[in-house]
Amino acid sequence: MEVKRSNRGLYWILFFVSTAALLFAIFAHWEWLTLIIPFVTTFFVLAMDLI
């Protein structure tokens, strides 16, 4: 049986950083706002250990 090491703490930090970047992009009316959304969703799924 294989032991899986989890980096959930790192994923939570990256999720909050990418969420902060998304909020900044929203308030700054940045044209490339949608480029941040995949990072937010990916790090959220990894932090919740859904996959």
Side-chain angles (χ1 to χ4, degrees), residues 18-51:
S18 60
T19 302
L22 179 65
L23 291 174
F24 173 76
I26 289 171
F27 289 120
H29 300 290
W30 191 44
E31 295 86 16
W32 300 94
L33 164 78
T34 56
L35 292 177
I36 302 172
I37 295 172
F39 292 101
V40 174
T41 55
T42 300
F43 289 131
F44 179 72
V45 168
L46 289 172
M48 293 293 291
D49 203 19
L50 297 176
I51 57 170

Side-chain angles (χ1 to χ4, degrees), residues 5-20:
R5 295 187 67 197
S6 178
N7 293 328
R8 291 181 66 194
L10 174 65
Y11 294 142
W12 277 114
I13 291 170
L14 291 172
F15 166 70
F16 288 124
V17 168
S18 60
T19 302

